[in-house]
Amino acid sequence: MVLVVGISACGPAKFVEPLKKFENAIAIDVGGPMVTIPDVASMPIPFSSITYGHGWSDKLTLHGSWYTTAAIFGVAQIGAGATYGVWKSKRQKHGISAMLGFNTAFDVYEKNFKFWPQLDAHYYFKYNYKGEQQEDLLTKNGRKRSNLLYVGVGTWYELEGVKAHGEKQQDIVVPMLNIGHDLNWKKWTLKTEVKLIAPFSSNENIVLDYVSLTGDKGSTGVYLGLIRKF
Amino acid sequence: MKNLQIFCVIGSLFVLTACRKRLDSFLFNNDNSIIEYKLDSYGGELALDIPIDYLVPNNDIHLFEYQIEDEGEDLNISAIFVGDLNKISSDTVILYCHGNKDHMDHYWPRQKLLSHLGEQGRFGVLMFDYPGYGLSEGEPTEQNMYESTNGAMKWLKNNGLSDDRLVIYGYSLGSAPATKSVGDQSFVLSPSKLILEAPFASSSVMVQDASILNMPASYFVNTKIENAEQIKKCEVPFYWLHGINDDFLSIESHGRTVYKNHSESWKQKNEVPGANHSDVPTFMGLEVYSDSILSFITK
């Protein structure tokens, strides 16, 4: 039996580098924790979401997500957050950002509502940066600008101390480590990300056969995203 | 116009929630492709390997069907009774509720093993296929799984069985109808003893184990399988067996939760070292396993 649930990792990091002031973006992404489906293959759980982001200032991006796969299962799942550019190097080649947000879910069957706060932090590094410096001369629609590599840590928080049948909720914080890449064009970004989800929690003796780079701990998530800035 | 477009996009995203896809079907790993039960001649995967000398005489094997009603539709349910039909009115019968895989051919060695408790034919053993399994009609749901269990009890009752001589044995998914029949007492018979091997605690535990977070099962399935709650209402002697190495239904979050929630004093457990989900009898040793079940039934 395979039950497609997923460890709490419904999407990749949102707007690791904050948008510019008044800049908008729409992002779609797919992917999730890798699982092995017996007699089929190992594959990521096909979570998907649509995100809208708005540059409130050069440092602050506000964003909200609608989780489309969850919706198909009758669950209205919404994520929202604010990404803040904490630090940038002088030439803006490196930076650190932090995201404070939340995720909520509500199902249409039993009206169960959940709320999980999130806190993420990312370091990013731009390469091929010269391309962007000479934008006026070299960059036209569809041509590459600076790309971006990032690593970070994310956390989800479970606020309820008691789970089913009165048992104690052991994991209050679910950590994630991620590494990702933004391949940038002038208006488009292709995002790829790999995430180690709950890398300190056992993935054994459960109905799902998670695939993990950390062996019998957690799961490894694989994500693909497309962003359009305007 | 732009606002209208935005409204349409947002509206259509919300409309997705009307799709109401569910994952319940993944709970039932049924096979209804067979055209007959082959029992000892079955060449597919078996739930248990037992020696060839666990034989059942042909005249003790009774294949039959009974009917249940499921959402207004009549379904024929296939069942196998092993034992002497004439003794149902006077002796103990074990009702075996099998797991979620394939059909009765897969679990036939389990039924044979139970029919050899003490000696071959000591107790009658009834097994049946849930709707959608084997030759049973319909598609499996939690509700019709209970209906088919109730139908099996009706058949037993019609053959003279009474509550005090009915022992129900639920393995894995089968723990759901077994526990419900004792807990809710909403079936035509109320078993006098309960045996659970590798039971579910509930769908919620399954989801929470897999998601780490305290996520409601209703986000994925409608099926409840509330064994950990039903067992609180069970007032009959209870025997729980579970493999310590069960990698499907964890002994900690599923088995021990169910056992802990049974509040009556007469209960016993066997946490079997080395055993996984489906090989508890093997790791105990078939004789030790049989003796422990026999001892529980006759105590």
Side-chain angles (χ1 to χ4, degrees):
Chain A
M1 182 177 76
V2 172
L3 177 67
V4 184
V5 187
I7 293 180
S8 54
C10 303
K14 318 286 188 200
F15 307 110
V16 169
E17 182 190 25
L19 298 171
K20 294 181 172 57
K21 189 174 183 179
F22 299 136
E23 191 176 28
N24 297 295
I26 296 281
I28 56 170
D29 51 70
V30 293
M34 296 278 294
V35 291
T36 297
I37 300 173
D39 304 325
V40 182
S42 293
M43 57 183 284
I45 294 173
F47 289 127
S48 59
S49 65
I50 296 177
T51 300
Y52 168 73
H54 173 73
W56 185 265
S57 70
D58 283 343
K59 281 192 166 184
L60 182 66
T61 296
L62 304 177
H63 48 87
S65 302
W66 173 254
Y67 291 86
T68 39
T69 303
I72 290 167
F73 286 88
V75 179
Q77 186 180 356
I78 294 169
T83 301
Y84 185 74
V86 178
W87 172 80
K88 264 186 179 180
S89 66
K90 204 169 181 180
R91 293 187 63 208
Q92 303 194 356
K93 201 169 177 180
H94 308 261
I96 292 175
S97 65
M99 195 283 285
L100 180 64
F102 63 86
N103 224 280
T104 63
F106 175 82
D107 74 87
V108 300
Y109 304 95
E110 296 179 17
K111 322 298 182 205
N112 281 316
F113 176 79
K114 289 291 300 187
F115 176 86
W116 296 286
Q118 284 177 265
L119 184 60
D120 298 356
H122 287 93
Y123 162 78
Y124 59 85
F125 164 72
K126 289 180 181 176
Y127 69 95
N128 194 24
Y129 192 64
K130 280 185 178 177
E132 190 177 39
Q133 293 297 297
Q134 298 174 45
E135 181 178 356
D136 292 342
L137 294 174
L138 299 177
T139 306
K140 292 180 182 173
N141 282 341
R143 292 197 59 180
K144 189 166 66 176
R145 305 174 83 195
S146 62
N147 299 321
L148 191 134
L149 267 170
Y150 60 90
V151 294
V153 58
T155 49
W156 281 48
Y157 298 87
E158 176 55 66
L159 302 178
E160 289 184 51
V162 178
K163 55 184 182 179
H165 316 300
E167 297 296 307
K168 188 180 176 191
Q169 173 68 33
Q170 302 288 349
D171 297 282
I172 303 301
V173 183
V174 180
M176 301 163 216
L177 304 171
N178 57 349
I179 179 165
H181 182 259
D182 284 358
L183 182 62
N184 287 318
W185 284 266
K186 188 171 183 181
K187 292 291 180 189
W188 291 91
T189 297
L190 180 66
K191 176 185 279 291
T192 46
E193 185 175 308
V194 174
K195 191 184 285 194
L196 303 180
I197 307 153
F200 310 113
S201 300
S202 171
N203 61 19
E204 295 188 309
N205 303 342
I206 56 176
V207 290
L208 272 180
D209 191 4
Y210 284 120
V211 176
S212 178
L213 292 172
T214 46
D216 58 1
K217 306 281 186 189
S219 173
T220 298
V222 178
Y223 305 88
L224 196 62
L226 197 59
I227 302 170
R228 173 76 162 98
K229 293 173 184 169
F230 54 97
Chain B
M1 188 62 187
K2 193 178 175 184
N3 287 343
L4 183 65
Q5 285 176 336
I6 292 170
F7 179 79
C8 288
V9 169
I10 293 172
S12 58
L13 289 173
F14 274 96
V15 164
L16 282 176
T17 56
C19 292
R20 296 191 170 210
K21 285 277 182 192
R22 301 271 80 187
L23 294 170
D24 296 73
S25 59
F26 286 101
L27 287 165
F28 302 103
N29 194 9
N30 57 316
D31 175 6
N32 57 6
S33 64
I34 60 171
I35 53 170
E36 62 174 337
Y37 291 106
K38 297 199 168 177
L39 306 183
D40 285 325
S41 307
Y42 181 60
E45 188 189 345
L46 296 173
L48 189 69
D49 287 325
I50 59 171
I52 197 165
D53 48 348
Y54 279 86
L55 288 172
V56 175
N58 282 340
N59 58 357
D60 265 5
I61 301 172
H62 309 279
L63 265 160
F64 65 97
E65 286 187 341
Y66 56 89
Q67 218 170 48
I68 63 165
E69 192 181 306
D70 177 40
E71 296 182 349
E73 188 184 357
D74 289 333
L75 300 179
N76 286 319
I77 301 299
S78 295
I80 303 170
F81 180 79
V82 170
D84 185 346
L85 290 171
N86 295 318
K87 284 168 67 180
I88 295 176
S89 59
S90 60
D91 206 350
T92 299
V93 171
I94 301 169
L95 177 58
Y96 182 74
C97 301
H98 69 58
N100 79 333
K101 196 167 166 57
D102 295 350
H103 46 69
M104 290 193 289
D105 275 336
H106 178 73
Y107 294 99
W108 173 238
R110 291 287 199 140
Q111 187 173 19
K112 283 201 298 182
L113 185 59
L114 290 173
S115 80
H116 279 78
L117 296 181
E119 58 181 345
Q120 196 281 315
R122 169 70 186 83
F123 300 116
V125 184
L126 176 61
M127 177 168 68
F128 59 97
D129 263 337
Y130 310 122
Y133 283 74
L135 300 181
S136 288
E137 295 173 343
E139 288 297 322
T141 65
E142 182 176 14
Q143 190 52 42
N144 67 26
M145 183 171 62
Y146 298 143
E147 286 302 326
S148 56
T149 307
N150 195 34
M153 287 186 184
K154 276 181 191 165
W155 184 86
L156 287 169
K157 189 174 184 180
N158 290 340
N159 280 276
L161 191 72
S162 53
D163 290 350
D164 58 316
R165 290 182 290 108
L166 173 60
V167 175
I168 194 159
Y169 187 129
Y171 164 64
S172 190
L173 179 70
S175 60
T179 312
K180 189 174 177 68
S181 70
V182 180
D184 271 359
Q185 300 190 347
S186 54
F187 295 9
V188 294
L189 287 175
S190 183
S192 61
K193 289 188 177 176
L194 172 65
I195 302 170
L196 298 181
E197 180 186 334
F200 280 82
S202 66
S203 302
S204 298
V205 171
M206 229 175 354
V207 168
Q208 288 170 7
D209 275 358
S211 67
I212 297 182
L213 297 167
N214 186 358
M215 201 173 275
S218 58
Y219 288 3
F220 304 96
V221 294
N222 293 332
T223 304
K224 300 269 182 242
I225 309 182
E226 289 282 13
N227 289 339
E229 296 303 317
Q230 286 288 347
I231 197 79
K232 292 176 181 172
K233 297 186 266 180
C234 295
E235 296 175 345
V236 302
F238 170 42
Y239 183 19
W240 166 57
L241 307 97
H242 211 122
I244 286 178
N245 293 356
D246 193 327
D247 65 3
F248 181 62
L249 297 175
S250 144
I251 188 170
E252 181 60 43
S253 57
H254 287 277
R256 286 179 185 148
T257 302
V258 171
Y259 185 73
K260 188 178 74 180
N261 284 359
H262 183 265
S263 55
E264 293 298 304
S265 56
W266 189 8
K267 60 179 176 179
Q268 67 183 66
K269 65 176 178 177
N270 201 333
E271 299 186 359
V272 184
N276 202 324
H277 187 63
S278 60
D279 50 16
V280 161
T282 306
F283 274 79
M284 285 178 72
L286 298 183
E287 282 192 22
V288 174
Y289 165 83
S290 298
D291 289 347
S292 79
I293 302 287
L294 178 64
S295 157
F296 174 74
I297 292 174
T298 55
K299 202 188 299 185

